[in-house]
Amino acid sequence: MKKFNIRKVLDGLTAVSSSSSSAAQPGTPRDNDVVQETLQSEHFQLCKTVRHGFPYQSSSMAFDPVQKILAIGTQTGALRLFGRAGVECYCQHDSGAAVIQLQFLINEGALVSALTDDSIHLWNLRQKIPAILHSLKFNRERITYCHLPFQSKWLYIGTERGNIHIVNVESFTLSGYVIMWNKAIELSTKTHPGPVVHISDNPMDEGKLLIGFECGVVVLWDLKSKKADYRYNYDEAIHSVAWHHEGKQFVCSHSDGTLTTWNVRAPAKPAQIITPHGKQPKDGKKPEPCKPILKVEYKTTRAGDPFMVLSGGLSYDTVGRRPCLTVMHGKSTTVLEMDYPIVDFLTLCETPYPNDYQEPYAVVVLLERDLVLIDLGQIGYPIFENPYPLTIHESPVTCCEYFADCTAEIIPALYSVGSRQKRQGYSKKEWPISGGNWGQGTQSYPEIILTGHADGSIKFWDASALMLQVLYKLKTAKVFERARGKDEKPSTDIVEEDPFAIQTLSWCPESRMLCVGGVSAHVIVYRFSKQEITTEVVELLEVRMQCEFSEVESPDPGGEQTPTLLTSGASASPQESEPPVQPSTGNNSSDGPRDNIPCLQVRSSPLKQSPGYQVELVIQLVWVSGEPPQQITSLAMNSSYGLVVFGNSNGLAVVDYLQKTLLFNMGMSELYSPSEPYQRQLRSPRKPRQPSGAFCDSNDGSIPSEDRCKSPTSAKMSRKISSSGEQKSDQEERLQQLDFLTCKMPFYCMIKGKAAARRNKKWGICRAMFALRFYAKDNSFTRSRSSSVTSIDRESRETISSFHFCESYPRKTESLVSPCLLVGTTQGSVIMVALSLPPGADQRLQQPVGISSCGTIIRLKGGILTMALLDSTGALLPPSYEPWHDPNSSDEEKLRRRRPASSPSSQEGQDSQFAVLCSEKQAKVVAVPSQTCIYKHSITETSFVLRADVVQMGGTNCIACFCANGHIMTLSLPSLRPLLDVNYLPLTDMRIARTFCFSNLGQALYLTSPTEIQRITYSQETCDNLQEMLSELFTPVETPEAPNRGFFKGLFGGGAQSLDREDLFGETTAGKASRSLAQHIPGPGSMEGMKGAASGVVGELARARIALDERGQKLGELDERTAAMMASAESFSKHAHDMMLKYKDKKWYQL
């Protein structure tokens, strides 16, 4: 038999973790364990894999026309690189400063980035994970603009002071050649020209540099003679400059919405001044000023008129008009409206050479929240269909679920129905950003991500092989009536905005059933069908969930205190209760409280449902006596049983979606047995209120469980209305209370008014149990220890936090498994509920399902997050499911068959299952049916767990946890040994808590920004294979040939003139730059960085050896690994040196 040795997983494991190690309970010695655990700590390693979505807070953009790679920089210092569909890369500047400009070393596999902290960086893109080769930090100058000519190693840097410095991108050292602002402008100028806003060389003469200053002055600088050839002055500030490819003209865009065209040899005045969007007065006066033209590009074609593309410049009287991109081609001017403000745009051309006809074919437009490519080659300028997953944020993400290693046929099924949803009118050409190659990894299992959104939509994403592609989009808001205007907004909404927002999801890939919980206290059940149908009437079930606690009066001296009784009531739609408490139409008049009305109105007209997910049933919680329903905190569904269960702070409800009936609606205290030690008597500050309605006409002192569990439509109990003067016995009073459960919520669980509605919206999209208990004003999760909050915590309503359908032993005395439901609460209780299903498929639709609470099996610290069941060998027992069949197909068999559960030994007293329970504070493994805790582990004392899942890993199972302090941990099953504990990501945003989720095979994800999903892995195998799985950005491509100068141009010298920049800017001629001007910093990808990394590895291994020797552990294997790593580091250094020598004369910048 195997004994489990508890040891520290990491060297820096805290004392809290060591003191909270798992322990076996008395009476269950580990020597008797038969479960052989195979997972060890070396099977786990945490690392980021890929990031999907639109780059958040984009600030700049660049394009390599040969490699066909697009780079986007952000205000947070991130870089996102895109190639063909599925080729993406993310990297981050350590400083986190905003990226102001990007410049590709075209077809060299390198990129230069300029940041707001006045630093520039050279990135090596020839490796799958780009790394910084060199950095240069300016100390006395602020960088405003950069320019790198094609096939040049000299980078021009313009500064805020108006100076221009030159950097050698091979060595990242400054040249002694500097263009000072006072030499560039006229000596008679009395004011400073402002920052440099543009730098470019003449396309036909590399020795002429065009410098644009913010004040409106443009200077043509002769690099050889070190003086200005021409100066061009205009009254308005300059935003951008663009050359004609022949080098004889250039265009400037100005702050008054004008474009000025200048002839190079005529600096006195512009050759042409136009205001593209200005109104031209008839009397010949100057047009009215317009908004600034922020950028202009001038591109020529060999066979027609040139293109002039510009952003901005609209008239000031166009109030409320959306941002526009203007395309001027010949005499036509086309204004293209955008959905979001324009950050930057680039015109994509056929040639990288600036001195040839550009032949533009597309415009890539970077918006604040989108990326658009416009086809310039087709009439009407259609847009290209974007292959990247950039629509994650189309509506704000409110929840996520991640399914790895799901059934293979689900992705083709979703793709087949989702392909019909694609928009029409796209360009027929291929996506022009087509660089890079896909990875060659072996990870081939299907992965699906579900995202719920604020507008009520749900998106299904194919996440296989580190890619992301939208498969299908479901719009749940179609089920409800929409208010046409603000005046028609229903007064029953419990949130001011986004009433259709998705709050929780329950999806079964095998049966393809989907259950959705919304923020307006509604649940929708969907079935998957490949047939289109029209639903005349949407099936609706209204549920009345409420709670009221009778006031406990102070006991009289010498008297006996009246016991606190919890009354409860279960009712479905008003039509199903006899007699109704309120009129069946509900009450929403101004002279009375709202009652029996839902928050949303289900549409009454026929609903056309396309192939895909189609509505089976809508469940809505209704207002009760002027109090809105509480939002749903937990939701689960089982296709084999045909049941949906959901809970909130009032209790739980079980719905049979096959029979469309409410089976079970009970408050929290009713779930506990009267003799349970975990039951708490709660007090309410409200005055006692007589429940309205009738009571069960029974002479017994208790209600039979079979009557309580019957469907309201199939078994109606005889009721009578009691008169106000009738005297009720204690027995009848208790019957009334137990039968109807008509209770009112305590004041601290209900949110009323506008301020409360705003609070409801703010927290409603996240897990309510986290928001109500742990959220503080500073967005940090801290538990208040004030007396007032403590008292509220003590008396607050216990809330349902999790569910788990299973086939287990409902009671200790049971010897056979049967369908069950595990219920977890925010107070740490785990309650077993027995389900009694009709024996045959035919009787399932005729007879009701029986439900009875079997009481609490155990209690944990903190709210219950996840539950699972293992068999006697430690294998996971998944919930049963119904195999998928098309409900609208007449050819398939429609009899519902529940997958039988595997029945273990039926001998009494022998535990054949393990219940795995994880809460916010600890994890426990309980033997079933004896309900004995055999293992427990204290996960954290100073923080709490946000998300926990039982996942499959390496052919076995473990618990994966994410804590609010940023730690990601895994525990073995069933012994709860710590396997991984990494301080990964401190919780700084509720978005992370709302969207973090684990999946099988070591996969996890979370929403790292409002627009991006970050995927991570905690599997050592995936980390080892990550390099193979990642896509390649750089591919060897021949640089196009330079344009032919022609016979006469070559004869008379009319072609482009080259410049020996090495001779002009080199140290021999220009001298050395001041050392105090900028500081050179070797990057981790350079030779110096590799040496430092190698020495760092050696030092870390040496320290690890000392620490492990002190613990008395053997290091033979570690010594071999150390030697191998040293040899690998030396070999890597040697190969890098050889590569530097190989490419030294070929202008390769990796040293």
Side-chain angles (χ1 to χ4, degrees):
M1 301 303 174
K2 181 177 180 180
K3 293 185 179 181
F4 300 103
N5 296 323
I6 300 171
R7 61 185 180 84
K8 293 183 179 179
V9 181
L10 302 175
D11 289 342
L13 203 61
T14 60
V16 174
S17 297
S18 61
S19 64
S20 60
S21 57
S22 56
Q25 298 302 297
T28 57
R30 298 191 178 192
D31 293 341
N32 296 331
D33 290 346
V34 295
V35 178
Q36 299 293 324
E37 296 182 6
T38 58
L39 283 181
Q40 302 297 329
S41 59
E42 54 264 23
H43 294 143
F44 294 88
Q45 182 182 345
L46 190 69
C47 69
K48 295 180 180 180
T49 53
V50 290
R51 180 173 293 198
H52 302 294
F54 181 78
Y56 183 56
Q57 295 180 334
S58 301
S59 58
S60 58
M61 180 172 56
F63 182 71
D64 188 328
V66 180
Q67 286 290 318
K68 307 289 186 183
I69 294 292
L70 181 73
I72 297 177
T74 73
Q75 297 180 25
T76 58
L79 283 180
R80 294 285 299 279
L81 296 112
F82 298 91
R84 65 178 63 188
V87 176
E88 296 182 40
C89 183
Y90 162 79
C91 41
Q92 175 74 43
H93 293 90
D94 293 336
S95 65
V99 180
I100 57 177
Q101 198 173 355
L102 296 171
Q103 288 276 314
F104 272 104
L105 279 68
I106 296 176
N107 204 28
E108 295 288 354
L111 175 72
V112 174
S113 59
L115 277 58
T116 53
D117 64 352
D118 309 312
S119 63
I120 57 174
H121 308 269
L122 179 65
W123 290 85
N124 176 20
L125 306 183
R126 295 201 175 205
Q127 54 195 57
K128 291 191 173 183
I129 302 179
I132 294 177
L133 297 173
H134 298 284
S135 297
L136 196 64
K137 180 74 166 61
F138 282 78
N139 300 321
R140 299 181 300 180
E141 295 267 27
R142 303 298 307 272
I143 299 175
T144 57
Y145 195 86
C146 297
H147 171 64
L148 181 66
F150 179 48
Q151 293 183 330
S152 170
K153 68 176 182 180
W154 298 96
L155 174 70
Y156 301 102
I157 298 178
T159 67
E160 193 175 49
R161 294 183 180 180
N163 304 324
I164 295 179
H165 301 276
I166 302 172
V167 176
N168 186 326
V169 293
E170 286 185 347
S171 59
F172 245 54
T173 55
L174 276 171
S175 168
Y177 192 111
V178 181
I179 303 175
M180 305 300 293
W181 68 270
N182 54 355
K183 294 183 179 180
I185 66 173
E186 295 181 4
L187 297 177
S188 59
T189 304
K190 297 181 180 180
T191 59
H192 191 278
V196 176
V197 296
H198 178 82
I199 307 173
S200 61
D201 49 351
N202 189 314
M204 301 300 290
D205 188 353
E206 296 177 351
K208 307 294 184 182
L209 195 68
L210 195 68
I211 306 169
F213 296 94
E214 188 181 55
C215 68
V217 176
V218 179
V219 177
L220 187 65
W221 182 265
D222 190 320
L223 292 171
K224 291 182 179 179
S225 63
K226 300 184 181 180
K227 66 177 183 179
D229 283 353
Y230 301 103
R231 298 181 178 92
Y232 314 86
N233 294 281
Y234 194 70
D235 295 337
E236 297 294 334
I238 290 177
H239 285 277
S240 68
V241 182
W243 277 102
H244 187 280
H245 84 277
E246 293 179 347
K248 298 178 181 180
Q249 281 187 339
F250 61 88
V251 179
C252 301
S253 68
H254 300 275
S255 59
D256 62 345
T258 60
L259 293 174
T260 58
T261 303
W262 299 81
N263 291 324
V264 172
R265 299 183 181 274
K269 65 176 182 179
Q272 185 182 28
I273 302 176
I274 61 172
T275 307
H277 297 286
K279 297 179 180 179
Q280 300 292 336
K282 295 180 181 179
D283 53 4
K285 293 183 179 180
K286 188 177 181 179
E288 295 180 0
C290 297
K291 297 178 182 178
I293 297 179
L294 302 177
K295 186 175 182 179
V296 62
E297 290 200 347
Y298 192 16
K299 303 298 179 182
T300 57
T301 60
R302 196 178 302 272
D305 296 320
F307 283 88
M308 195 174 292
V309 186
L310 55 101
S311 62
L314 295 178
S315 176
Y316 280 104
D317 59 5
T318 56
V319 180
R321 190 169 182 177
R322 293 190 294 180
C324 296
L325 186 79
T326 304
V327 180
M328 302 172 65
H329 183 218
K331 296 182 179 180
S332 68
T333 300
T334 305
V335 179
L336 306 173
E337 289 189 341
M338 302 292 162
D339 293 332
Y340 306 103
I342 297 174
V343 176
D344 195 5
F345 73 89
L346 293 170
T347 306
L348 308 187
C349 303
E350 296 289 352
T351 177
Y353 294 94
N355 58 355
D356 193 10
Y357 286 99
Q358 300 299 290
E359 302 295 343
Y361 59 89
V363 179
V364 53
V365 187
L366 178 63
L367 307 177
E368 281 190 358
R369 297 173 66 86
D370 201 1
L371 182 71
V372 177
L373 256 76
I374 301 168
D375 186 357
L376 295 178
Q378 294 189 28
I379 299 175
Y381 303 134
I383 64 173
F384 291 88
E385 184 177 6
N386 198 322
Y388 306 137
L390 303 183
T391 59
I392 294 173
H393 64 286
E394 188 176 22
S395 176
V397 177
T398 55
C399 63
C400 286
E401 292 296 336
Y402 190 8
F403 299 86
D405 198 20
C406 49
T407 57
E409 51 281 347
I410 187 64
I411 290 181
L414 290 170
Y415 180 80
S416 65
V417 297
S419 59
R420 308 180 190 183
Q421 299 177 332
K422 291 186 177 181
R423 292 172 49 190
Q424 303 297 323
Y426 289 112
S427 171
K428 297 179 180 179
K429 297 180 181 178
E430 294 291 330
W431 181 255
I433 305 172
S434 56
N437 288 320
W438 296 318
Q440 304 296 325
T442 58
Q443 183 174 317
S444 59
Y445 49 83
E447 298 176 77
I448 291 182
I449 297 173
L450 270 65
T451 56
H453 300 265
D455 63 352
S457 62
I458 300 171
K459 292 182 180 178
F460 294 75
W461 304 84
D462 179 7
S464 307
L466 296 184
M467 297 185 185
L468 194 68
Q469 179 185 10
V470 66
L471 292 171
Y472 174 71
K473 180 179 179 180
L474 172 65
K475 298 179 180 179
T476 64
K478 288 184 176 180
V479 179
F480 303 101
E481 299 284 359
R482 284 184 175 269
R484 298 181 180 177
K486 294 183 179 180
D487 298 336
E488 298 184 24
K489 187 176 181 179
S491 58
T492 56
D493 283 0
I494 58 176
V495 290
E496 288 185 346
E497 299 177 4
D498 302 326
F500 309 109
I502 306 300
Q503 192 167 10
T504 182
L505 296 167
S506 178
W507 185 53
C508 177
E510 292 80 9
S511 65
R512 305 184 190 177
M513 291 292 298
L514 174 66
C515 194
V516 179
V519 74
S520 295
H522 63 275
V523 175
I524 310 176
V525 182
Y526 287 93
R527 283 187 182 276
F528 186 85
S529 174
K530 295 182 179 180
Q531 312 268 336
E532 181 179 303
I533 63 170
T534 299
T535 304
E536 297 296 331
V537 179
V538 177
E539 295 281 357
L540 173 63
L541 185 65
E542 294 180 351
V543 178
R544 184 182 177 95
M545 292 184 70
Q546 58 183 93
C547 260
E548 176 184 337
F549 298 92
S550 57
E551 183 71 41
V552 179
E553 302 292 342
S554 300
D556 295 331
E560 186 177 355
Q561 182 175 344
T562 305
T564 303
L565 294 177
L566 173 69
T567 60
S568 58
S571 63
S573 56
Q575 293 83 353
E576 296 177 358
S577 59
E578 294 184 6
V581 177
Q582 296 288 345
S584 61
T585 56
N587 181 12
N588 194 22
S589 60
S590 58
D591 55 351
R594 303 186 186 98
D595 195 57
N596 280 351
I597 54 174
C599 301
L600 301 174
Q601 185 69 35
V602 175
R603 63 183 294 168
S604 55
S605 58
L607 176 63
K608 183 180 179 180
Q609 303 196 71
S610 302
Y613 277 98
Q614 300 170 352
V615 179
E616 173 84 1
L617 176 66
V618 178
I619 308 167
Q620 288 184 290
L621 302 186
V622 297
W623 286 63
V624 178
S625 303
E627 301 286 2
Q630 289 295 284
Q631 293 180 350
I632 295 167
T633 58
S634 188
L635 174 70
M637 173 197 60
N638 187 279
S639 58
S640 179
Y641 306 155
L643 301 180
V644 170
V645 57
F646 56 91
N648 58 15
S649 58
N650 289 344
L652 66 86
V654 182
V655 171
D656 184 343
Y657 66 78
L658 300 180
Q659 298 186 24
K660 312 294 190 297
T661 57
L662 177 69
L663 300 175
F664 193 71
N665 184 2
M666 187 170 286
M668 286 305 307
S669 294
E670 285 293 305
L671 290 174
Y672 293 100
S673 300
S675 59
E676 287 215 34
Y678 303 118
Q679 184 180 14
R680 291 169 306 285
Q681 301 295 334
L682 303 183
R683 300 182 56 183
S684 170
R686 293 184 181 271
K687 294 296 181 183
R689 180 171 181 261
Q690 280 292 18
S692 58
F695 61 91
C696 180
D697 186 12
S698 172
N699 294 326
D700 297 333
S702 60
I703 296 179
S705 60
E706 58 270 15
D707 289 341
R708 180 184 296 277
C709 301
K710 284 184 179 179
S711 166
T713 57
S714 59
K716 296 182 180 179
M717 293 180 286
S718 60
R719 307 170 187 270
K720 67 178 182 179
I721 303 177
S722 60
S723 62
S724 58
E726 182 180 357
Q727 299 294 326
K728 306 183 186 69
S729 65
D730 292 342
Q731 184 179 16
E732 291 174 330
E733 188 72 31
R734 181 165 181 79
L735 281 173
Q736 176 180 348
Q737 294 166 343
L738 290 177
D739 182 30
F740 253 92
L741 206 67
T742 43
C743 348
K744 226 176 172 65
M745 291 179 28
F747 75 104
Y748 40 77
C749 289
M750 183 56 67
I751 302 176
K752 292 193 272 185
K754 292 185 177 180
R758 286 193 297 270
R759 179 182 175 192
N760 238 354
K761 178 196 181 278
K762 188 172 184 180
W763 313 132
I765 55 179
C766 62
R767 296 175 181 267
M769 62 182 186
F770 297 148
L772 291 176
R773 300 174 58 202
F774 299 107
Y775 198 83
K777 290 183 179 180
D778 60 351
N779 268 1
S780 62
F781 281 84
T782 55
R783 183 187 292 274
S784 171
R785 300 193 180 275
S786 65
S787 59
S788 59
V789 177
T790 304
S791 63
I792 290 178
D793 254 358
R794 185 174 59 249
E795 293 189 353
S796 63
R797 181 78 47 83
E798 188 172 12
T799 303
I800 303 294
S801 60
S802 61
F803 295 111
H804 181 69
F805 283 101
C806 59
E807 296 196 358
S808 184
Y809 304 91
R811 299 172 181 85
K812 294 182 179 180
T813 57
E814 297 286 346
S815 59
L816 295 175
V817 297
S818 62
C820 296
L821 172 66
L822 288 174
V823 180
T825 73
T826 55
Q827 300 295 340
S829 297
V830 179
I831 303 168
M832 181 75 79
V833 177
L835 307 175
S836 177
L837 297 174
D842 296 333
Q843 301 178 15
R844 175 63 183 86
L845 299 177
Q846 306 297 329
Q847 297 183 10
V849 177
I851 303 177
S852 61
S853 176
C854 303
T856 305
I857 61 174
I858 202 167
R859 184 176 173 87
L860 284 74
K861 294 180 181 178
I864 303 299
L865 298 180
T866 189
M867 299 174 286
L869 216 61
L870 308 179
D871 64 12
S872 57
T873 63
L876 187 67
L877 293 173
S880 59
Y881 60 85
E882 173 197 36
W884 177 78
H885 67 273
D886 198 324
N888 301 317
S889 175
S890 58
D891 299 329
E892 294 187 17
E893 183 184 0
K894 293 187 177 182
L895 293 178
R896 309 184 186 279
R897 294 172 297 180
R898 180 172 59 88
R899 189 181 66 173
S902 57
S903 299
S905 174
S906 61
Q907 298 178 9
E908 294 189 17
Q910 179 178 352
D911 292 327
S912 57
Q913 291 181 347
F914 300 105
V916 180
L917 314 170
C918 186
S919 72
E920 298 165 331
K921 292 290 186 179
Q922 61 180 183
K924 288 186 179 181
V925 174
V926 179
V928 179
S930 67
Q931 299 182 6
T932 304
C933 178
I934 57 173
Y935 297 105
K936 69 177 181 180
H937 176 79
S938 180
I939 299 175
T940 178
E941 295 292 341
T942 58
S943 183
F944 61 96
V945 181
L946 285 168
R947 178 73 184 235
D949 290 291
V950 176
V951 295
Q952 296 181 1
M953 178 83 173
T956 182
N957 309 291
C958 65
I959 300 178
C961 304
F962 172 57
C963 293
N965 60 8
H967 283 252
I968 291 180
M969 293 175 281
T970 59
L971 305 174
S972 69
L973 286 177
S975 68
L976 301 179
R977 289 180 299 114
L979 299 173
L980 174 73
D981 188 350
V982 177
N983 188 3
Y984 171 68
L985 178 71
L987 185 66
T988 56
D989 199 323
M990 278 297 297
R991 183 188 308 108
I992 300 173
R994 189 175 67 242
T995 58
F996 199 104
C997 51
F998 294 98
S999 189
N1000 293 330
L1001 304 178
Q1003 307 299 322
L1005 66 82
Y1006 60 94
L1007 206 67
T1008 185
S1009 73
T1011 63
E1012 297 168 291
I1013 286 178
Q1014 178 67 56
R1015 294 168 66 178
I1016 61 176
T1017 181
Y1018 49 95
S1019 165
Q1020 177 68 54
E1021 181 182 1
T1022 303
C1023 292
D1024 293 341
N1025 299 328
L1026 186 59
Q1027 282 288 339
E1028 297 180 7
M1029 297 163 60
L1030 292 176
S1031 56
E1032 290 182 295
L1033 290 170
F1034 180 81
T1035 54
V1037 179
E1038 288 292 334
T1039 303
E1041 292 184 3
N1044 189 0
R1045 298 174 60 184
F1047 174 76
F1048 290 103
K1049 286 186 179 181
L1051 183 63
F1052 299 104
Q1057 300 181 19
S1058 60
L1059 174 71
D1060 188 356
R1061 295 188 178 93
E1062 181 69 33
D1063 180 63
L1064 189 61
F1065 303 143
E1067 184 176 332
T1068 305
T1069 305
K1072 291 185 178 181
S1074 173
R1075 292 186 177 181
S1076 61
L1077 181 61
Q1079 177 186 3
H1080 176 256
I1081 305 171
S1086 64
M1087 194 67 181
E1088 295 87 346
M1090 282 187 285
K1091 290 179 180 178
S1095 63
V1097 170
V1098 176
E1100 290 295 331
L1101 289 172
R1103 285 191 290 271
R1105 178 187 301 178
I1106 295 172
L1108 292 174
D1109 281 337
E1110 290 175 350
R1111 297 183 184 92
Q1113 298 186 10
K1114 296 180 181 180
L1115 290 174
E1117 185 178 356
L1118 283 177
D1119 286 335
E1120 294 176 1
R1121 292 182 181 178
T1122 302
M1125 292 183 70
M1126 286 288 296
S1128 176
E1130 293 175 0
S1131 175
F1132 187 74
S1133 176
K1134 179 178 180 301
H1135 285 305
H1137 183 71
D1138 294 340
M1139 183 175 291
M1140 182 269 292
L1141 296 177
K1142 180 180 179 181
Y1143 288 96
K1144 182 178 180 181
D1145 298 329
K1146 297 182 180 181
K1147 295 184 179 180
W1148 165 232
Y1149 308 102
Q1150 181 179 10
L1151 298 178

